[in-house]
Structures are given as structure tokens and as C-alpha cells.
Amino acid sequence: MKARIVVTLKTGVLDPQGKAIEAALKSFGIQEISGVRQGKVFDLEIASEDREQAEATLKAACEKLLANIVVENYTVEIA
């Protein structure tokens, strides 16, 4: 079973990397971008036929390693 986890900063958390990307885009002449928030994407394969169990396993992975739940949100998508 394939899954995608998207990790993003929570609203209100400063994003210096996003600001740096925004500034770099402007330096390349791309002026229409008015804001950038960066995040992480994880594509995983999970050895489970049980969708609910797979989702629980993926959430545990997020909370233990993939996301800093103090400052980041995550979403789990199972294909």
C-alpha cells in the first residue's frame, strides 16, 4: 500500500526557509509570488492490507519521527 505524508509548519510559526525561497524567486525575476511556506513530503510503502491499521502506523511514524508536532502539522494520504 502506498502513502504520502505532507508535513507543513503550523500557522504563525516563522518560516525563514520559505522567506529565503521567496526572496530567491524574486531575484530570478519571478515577482508574482507573494508568499512561500516550505514543508516536507514523504512517499512511503507500507506492508499492510488493513487501511485503518496502516493509517494508525503512519500517524505513529509522524508523531515519533517525521513531524515535530509542536510546530508542524501533517496529513496522511493512503492511495
Side-chain angles (χ1 to χ4, degrees), residues 16-76:
Q17 189 174 2
K19 289 292 184 192
I21 293 167
E22 181 182 343
L25 290 169
K26 290 186 188 308
S27 75
F28 287 119
I30 303 170
Q31 301 297 324
E32 295 82 6
I33 305 295
S34 61
V36 176
R37 301 278 292 171
Q38 60 84 34
K40 301 176 273 191
V41 175
F42 300 93
D43 288 326
L44 302 100
E45 291 193 27
I46 185 162
S48 176
E49 298 299 320
D50 183 337
R51 192 175 183 88
E52 288 183 22
Q53 180 60 41
E55 186 170 339
T57 298
L58 293 166
K59 285 182 178 179
C62 289
E63 294 179 11
K64 291 181 179 179
L65 178 67
L66 301 178
N68 177 347
I69 59 173
V70 174
V71 295
E72 295 175 321
N73 292 317
Y74 65 87
T75 58
V76 174

